[in-house]
Amino acid sequence: MSNNHEHRRPLRPSTFASAVTDWFDERIGVRTLIDMARKKQVPIHRHSIWYYLGGVTLFLFIIQVITGILLLFYYRPGADTAFESIRFIMTKVQFGWLVRSIHTWAANLMILAAVMHMFSVFLTKAYRKPRELTWITGVLLLALALALGFSGYLLPWNELAYFATKVGTEITGAVPFVGKHMLELLRGGPQVNDATLSRFFGFHVALFPALFTVLLGIHLLLVQKQGMSTPLNIEKKKEVKSIPFFPNFLLRDLLLWLIVLNILAILAVFFPSELGEKADPFAPAPAGIVPEWYFLFMFQILKMLPPKILFVDGDVFGVLLFGLAGLFWLLIPFLDRSSQKGLQSRNFTYIGIAAIIVVLFFTILGWVS
Amino acid sequence: MKTTIVLVTTTLLLVGLLVSTTMNTQQRPREDQCFVCHDMLEDEATVAFRSDVHRSAGVSCADCHGGDRFEEDMDIAMSSAKGFIGIPRDIAISKACASCHDDEERMRNAGYTGPIGQLASLRHSAHAQGTHSGEELVLQCTSCHGAHGIRPVKDPRSPVSPLRVVSLCASCHSDPAFMRTYNPSLPTDQLAKYRTSVHGQRNLAGDPRVTTCVDCHTAHDIKPANETTSSVNAFRLPATCGKCHSDAEYMKPYDIRTDQVSEFTTSVHGIALLEKGDSGSPSCNDCHGNHGAMPPEVTSISHVCGTCHSLNAELFRKSRHKVEFERLGKPECETCHGYHAVQPATEELLSLETNTACGSCHGHERAPVGYRAANIMRGLLDSLQITVALADERLHAAEQKGMEVDDIRYALRGAKQARLQSRTAIHAFDLDVFREVMDPGLLTARNALRDAEAANSEFFFRRYGLAVATLIITLNVILLILYIRRLERKDRAVA
């Protein structure tokens, strides 16, 4: 294979970089990949801005991995050590406060970017054939990101984290038939305690990141394989402008990443993560316990449901409702037949807008109440 | 005719019956037939009843024993049909007393001016607690007042009169075998202690005005001292003692001050006890004793204060001041701190001005060694206090900036603890002992101040660091924008 590339002219023969590229090209044919990237085109139109959200999410995930590994050097899971180790990170470790703050803020921004990315894909119908699998892996990645957020929230073992986890895991108990077992599986027993912390730590640093990486690999491979989707109304136009993925689109991506990094740094310094009070399982729950903002809409809906709906307990009804909604959302590419045929499917546009309104409305309601 | 005879006969019979009934009534004696008969018999109870306050108030035997006081026929008068109950037992005794003593109108009409509702008080008292099975009260009214020879409380012959009530209470409370059956943990030496007190000695000498058991514990509403409603509970004791000791008119014959309670209420102990509700703070009895109340003497005052301030007392006893104070006849703690009006011990006590705790003896020329030591101690204490205050202020500033300073604050507690310990160490009146505590405390405080300053500096470092980082990133953003524009211009030119 290397012989096929021997005749090629290096990009910049005089530079050290091209020599390194040549070295790799002779062994693994790296120039083929570069050529592929150069040939890959990204459509440019009035909705192109949404293409960057996936890249931002990826960038924030990379930051999460790096800061997470740094935190792992000092974090010690356990009811007697977790809070103390976080305090140690915040006060004694050089730039420990910054790493923790960036980890917390990047987690929130990553979920925000992922949610926006998902809704942009939904409203531009980018899930339509042949990108059904990209959509499914994307939805699963968002679910994993939420799970990472939920499991990570408990790790500082402070008062707020403890009671929010207690309330959050209690909701799992409402799942019909298997709820109680799921609750015990999550908590490692009937109560939130040391066992829960160990379990959540395992989920947060091993299981979920591993699954996330595999799914992310498939997701990115599919994106590279299938290229960027063009919205239906743009696709019908005779001529759609495009730019090369490499280096033009990638440089724009990099530009946005730098801006996000700046925002992240400002947030981390001006609004650093708080340490809070150490969790005391015997203390009464403090007033105003609410979950993280990305669970707030579900929490608010569950709170507002009447105790009984059609002979079913309100919370059971709510959990079933969310389960069905999630399944519906996952199977959208197969349910939206019109977009599969290249037709505008206004009903699914309305569904998407309705979902955004519901999420926003109940999140704001949960926030203000 | 027959009808007329029947009518006349019936009328005569009715008139006869009416006359006979009227005559019977007129013939019934108005005297208390119970007393008339029993007085003739001269039994012990009736002899005692002759001088009973109740007899003069018109109370009959039948009022307590039941029966008909006006019936001459003994069998009828003392029949169950007439409500005769014989000798009342247990609670029936107190209920019989309460049948009148709970009736305020009746009591006031009889000229009685004392309290009403004694049985209700008794039922809520210590004498209603821990009774033997089946008993409602440990004692009945008659247990203290007697049954038939009851006299007014002020009558010296009454068992509850001021000069006799102490012995009356002691008849049970000084009997360990008896008391053990009710409250084994209660001491039984109250009377013995009382007799050693000024109160007890004056009482023994025949002074009815000094306090007795009932003046402090009350007569009927006696509560265990650990109950907050008890008149001898620590929180209420100053008011109880103050009833007499704050009454200038009442205390006039004894020629003693009456400002003890008012001084105590402004003292560090009084404020802690009465305003802050600190049950660990001393009340009157903690220094003066309970039943054996006496003013602590010059030689014993350090032992009194030392029961709580044990470390201070121990250091003082080993100090050179102990010997000097004894030689000068000065009371130990009181010389510097006062007694009823003890104020919080501040660094001011180490002041060397004239008429201050140290300065009154240690002058620059009179006692230069002590003068120098006090000066150094004061200087070190001030340094520690200022450093701790500064560290506190800088920590607060750092916290306000969102910095995490829990560790430093925790460390600073060590310096605050050293400040407290150094105040104790002063009582050794030895600079070396004092510095053993003070020097590590000062070091801790200085380290905490340094760390607090570092936390504040770190805040600014973060801000400056952010500014630099933002500047670099923004510069990169601008360069990247320019590069992309150039690249795309070039691409367009090629196209």
Side-chain angles (χ1 to χ4, degrees):
Chain A
M1 190 171 171
S2 61
N3 291 336
N4 297 335
H5 301 281
E6 273 170 2
H7 66 280
R8 281 188 189 160
R9 202 158 46 88
L11 284 171
R12 287 198 180 111
S14 58
T15 61
F16 174 73
S18 63
V20 173
T21 313
D22 285 343
W23 192 91
F24 279 103
D25 188 42
E26 284 168 10
R27 285 154 185 83
I28 56 170
V30 75
R31 286 194 191 283
T32 317
L33 292 173
I34 293 169
D35 284 349
M36 199 176 89
R38 273 175 179 279
K39 280 177 194 162
K40 188 186 167 188
Q41 293 286 310
V42 177
I44 294 291
H45 47 80
R46 61 193 168 100
H47 298 302
S48 294
I49 184 78
W50 303 114
Y51 291 149
Y52 297 99
L53 284 172
V56 168
T57 313
L58 175 67
F59 170 66
L60 289 165
F61 175 70
I62 294 165
I63 287 183
Q64 285 300 84
V65 172
I66 296 167
T67 51
I69 290 168
L70 291 175
L71 288 173
L72 255 180
F73 292 158
Y74 294 98
Y75 179 75
R76 296 161 124 197
D80 296 329
T81 52
F83 182 82
E84 287 72 12
S85 66
I86 294 284
R87 177 155 59 196
F88 184 78
I89 289 168
M90 299 276 286
T91 56
K92 302 279 183 239
V93 178
Q94 196 83 327
F95 293 108
W97 63 273
L98 185 65
V99 174
R100 183 177 172 231
S101 281
I102 287 182
H103 192 74
T104 312
W105 274 112
N108 284 288
L109 292 180
M110 185 179 109
I111 288 171
L112 182 68
V115 169
M116 287 170 72
H117 177 49
M118 182 187 70
F119 278 114
S120 72
V121 168
F122 186 96
L123 292 173
T124 54
K125 310 291 184 320
Y127 52 73
R128 66 187 187 278
K129 189 181 172 184
R131 295 183 178 81
E132 296 94 330
L133 286 174
T134 321
W135 169 263
I136 288 170
T137 50
V139 172
L140 292 177
L141 278 169
L142 177 63
L144 268 176
L146 294 176
L148 275 163
F150 184 67
S151 55
Y153 195 60
L154 178 69
L155 301 191
W157 199 246
N158 60 29
E159 199 180 45
L160 206 63
Y162 177 83
F163 286 103
T165 306
K166 202 172 169 186
V167 174
T169 48
E170 260 162 26
I171 294 169
T172 321
V175 176
F177 309 115
V178 291
K180 200 179 163 214
H181 299 291
M182 277 173 65
L183 178 74
E184 294 215 355
L185 187 78
L186 261 181
R187 288 182 173 177
Q191 299 296 329
V192 175
N193 54 26
D194 206 10
T196 321
L197 184 60
S198 300
R199 204 158 281 220
F200 272 44
F201 176 68
F203 291 154
H204 189 75
V205 305
L207 182 65
F208 294 158
L211 287 174
F212 198 96
T213 309
V214 171
L215 279 172
L216 182 65
I218 299 170
H219 192 75
L220 292 176
L221 198 72
L222 288 169
V223 170
Q224 290 306 315
K225 176 82 183 154
Q226 297 160 342
M228 303 295 194
S229 159
T230 314
L232 281 163
N233 52 347
I234 310 276
E235 201 177 40
K236 286 173 184 166
K237 288 180 182 173
K238 285 180 183 170
E239 196 178 323
V240 179
K241 284 184 188 172
S242 66
I243 56 166
F245 177 79
F246 183 84
N248 301 47
F249 186 79
L250 210 57
L251 284 173
R252 286 179 183 215
D253 245 351
L254 190 64
L255 182 69
L256 197 59
W257 290 12
L258 283 174
I259 293 168
V260 170
L261 186 67
N262 228 348
I263 293 169
L264 200 57
I266 291 166
L267 288 171
V269 173
F270 280 96
F271 307 100
S273 307
E274 286 179 6
L275 186 61
E277 293 292 321
K278 188 177 176 174
D280 178 5
F282 300 107
I289 284 287
V290 285
E292 285 279 67
W293 63 269
Y294 36 85
F295 292 120
L296 206 53
F297 78 98
M298 287 194 270
F299 181 72
Q300 185 62 26
I301 291 171
L302 283 174
K303 215 164 77 173
M304 289 172 72
L305 287 175
K308 282 272 179 196
I309 303 166
L310 303 171
F311 310 107
V312 182
D313 282 346
D315 48 354
V316 175
F317 182 86
V319 169
L320 283 173
L321 188 76
F322 290 131
L324 287 172
L327 190 66
F328 172 77
W329 204 251
L330 189 72
L331 300 176
I332 282 286
F334 308 103
L335 300 171
D336 183 6
R337 299 274 171 83
S338 306
S339 66
Q340 300 282 19
K341 295 171 191 163
L343 301 170
Q344 291 284 359
S345 54
R346 292 200 185 281
N347 287 342
F348 278 84
T349 305
Y350 296 144
I351 287 170
I353 292 168
I356 292 170
I357 290 170
V358 166
V359 170
L360 278 178
F361 176 76
F362 284 104
T363 302
I364 293 166
L365 197 66
W367 190 261
V368 295
S369 64
Chain B
M1 186 63 187
K2 252 184 181 177
T3 311
T4 310
I5 290 168
V6 170
L7 273 172
V8 168
T9 311
T10 311
T11 308
L12 283 172
L13 277 170
L14 280 170
V15 169
L17 188 66
L18 187 65
V19 169
S20 148
T21 312
T22 313
M23 280 177 71
N24 269 345
T25 311
Q26 283 170 349
Q27 282 168 5
R28 278 194 68 164
R30 301 309 301 160
E31 257 191 297
D32 184 344
Q33 292 303 304
C34 311
F35 186 76
V36 169
C37 289
H38 282 273
D39 195 40
M40 283 191 293
L41 292 170
E42 292 203 321
D43 58 64
E44 196 183 334
T46 316
V47 170
F49 194 63
R50 284 174 190 165
S51 56
D52 192 296
V53 67
H54 295 101
R55 170 152 170 73
S56 55
V59 175
S60 159
C61 309
D63 288 321
C64 298
H65 296 282
D68 187 345
R69 65 194 289 185
F70 298 120
E71 178 57 59
E72 282 183 312
D73 188 320
M74 188 181 77
D75 290 334
I76 297 170
M78 294 170 67
S79 68
S80 55
K82 291 286 185 183
F84 183 71
I85 57 168
I87 300 169
R89 306 273 176 203
D90 299 328
I91 192 64
I93 300 170
S94 297
K95 280 183 176 171
C97 302
S99 65
C100 295
H101 279 271
D102 279 355
D103 186 342
E104 186 166 9
E105 193 183 349
R106 184 173 182 175
M107 293 302 292
R108 300 292 177 236
N109 287 341
Y112 174 79
T113 54
I116 303 292
Q118 296 92 328
L119 180 57
S121 296
L122 197 60
R123 278 179 161 147
H124 291 103
S125 75
H127 288 129
Q129 293 171 13
T131 59
H132 291 158
S133 172
E135 292 177 3
E136 192 177 333
L137 295 171
V138 172
L139 47 74
Q140 306 299 336
C141 307
T142 51
S143 310
C144 298
H145 293 276
H148 297 101
I150 297 171
R151 293 169 192 280
V153 174
K154 285 179 184 170
D155 188 325
R157 290 168 296 177
S158 165
V160 292
S161 67
L163 296 180
R164 294 182 66 193
V165 71
V166 180
S167 304
L168 173 76
C169 297
S171 63
C172 293
H173 282 272
S174 294
D175 182 346
F178 178 77
M179 289 307 295
R180 198 183 302 127
T181 63
Y182 287 100
N183 187 349
S185 65
L186 200 67
T188 52
D189 59 354
Q190 296 95 330
L191 179 62
K193 282 184 173 172
Y194 179 73
R195 288 299 179 212
T196 67
S197 74
V198 176
H199 299 135
Q201 284 165 13
R202 283 189 173 273
N203 178 274
L204 198 63
D207 182 353
R209 300 174 81 249
V210 291
T211 194
T212 62
C213 312
V214 293
D215 294 308
C216 297
H217 292 279
T218 74
H220 302 101
D221 194 18
I222 300 167
K223 301 266 173 64
N226 59 5
E227 281 188 21
T228 49
T229 52
S230 166
S231 56
V232 292
N233 179 268
F235 295 110
R236 298 182 66 188
L237 199 57
T240 301
C241 298
K243 273 195 303 187
C244 299
H245 284 275
S246 297
D247 186 338
E249 191 59 36
Y250 191 81
M251 297 305 289
K252 210 170 186 177
Y254 304 108
D255 195 25
I256 57 172
R257 292 165 55 183
T258 51
D259 58 358
Q260 299 94 330
V261 175
S262 62
E263 278 196 346
F264 175 76
T265 52
T266 62
S267 74
V268 64
H269 298 131
I271 289 170
L273 181 76
L274 304 171
E275 290 181 21
K276 297 178 183 169
D278 179 359
S279 59
S281 190
S283 195
C284 310
N285 63 319
D286 290 301
C287 300
H288 294 281
N290 299 316
H291 301 100
M294 286 284 269
E297 292 175 357
V298 168
T299 49
S300 64
I301 194 158
S302 71
H303 296 286
V304 171
C305 302
T307 52
C308 295
H309 302 279
S310 55
L311 288 173
N312 304 29
E314 196 182 326
L315 286 170
F316 185 87
R317 271 183 223 120
K318 292 176 190 166
S319 77
R320 63 191 76 173
H321 277 74
K322 166 83 176 168
V323 183
E324 279 303 305
F325 276 33
E326 272 179 12
R327 189 177 65 79
L328 296 167
K330 283 177 176 286
E332 295 175 352
C333 312
E334 188 187 322
T335 301
C336 299
H337 296 282
Y339 49 115
H340 291 114
V342 176
Q343 293 303 306
T346 64
E347 283 71 12
E348 284 302 310
L349 273 174
L350 284 171
S351 171
L352 286 161
E353 287 168 24
T354 325
N355 296 329
T356 56
C358 299
S360 58
C361 298
H362 294 282
H364 182 51
E365 288 167 3
R366 277 178 294 150
V369 177
Y371 182 87
R372 184 176 158 273
N375 231 343
I376 294 171
M377 284 182 188
R378 174 69 193 269
L380 288 169
L381 266 174
D382 284 349
S383 289
L384 181 61
Q385 191 176 357
I386 291 165
T387 315
V388 167
L390 263 176
D392 256 336
E393 189 268 322
R394 298 310 296 148
L395 282 175
H396 180 71
E399 273 172 344
Q400 291 301 306
K401 292 183 181 102
M403 303 301 290
E404 176 57 48
V405 289
D406 278 2
D407 278 2
I408 312 171
R409 206 169 267 296
Y410 185 79
L412 190 62
R413 282 168 60 185
K416 290 177 180 174
Q417 182 66 22
R419 187 165 163 248
L420 280 176
Q421 286 172 339
S422 67
R423 286 153 166 257
T424 299
I426 285 172
H427 293 87
F429 301 103
D430 182 328
L431 205 51
D432 291 336
V433 174
F434 181 74
R435 294 202 78 135
E436 269 178 36
V437 178
M438 174 53 76
D439 289 352
L442 256 177
L443 186 67
T444 309
R446 283 173 187 152
N447 287 342
L449 179 60
R450 183 199 61 207
D451 293 345
E453 291 289 10
N456 281 282
S457 304
E458 170 73 9
F459 168 78
F460 291 108
F461 171 75
R462 289 178 187 185
R463 288 286 186 277
Y464 298 143
L466 174 73
V468 171
T470 308
L471 199 70
I472 293 169
I473 296 170
T474 310
L475 201 67
N476 276 301
V477 166
I478 293 166
L479 289 173
L480 202 56
I481 290 170
L482 293 173
Y483 180 72
I484 291 169
R485 279 189 179 177
R486 209 184 78 180
L487 190 76
E488 288 179 355
R489 242 192 335 260
K490 214 166 142 185
D491 285 350
R492 275 198 296 274
V494 172

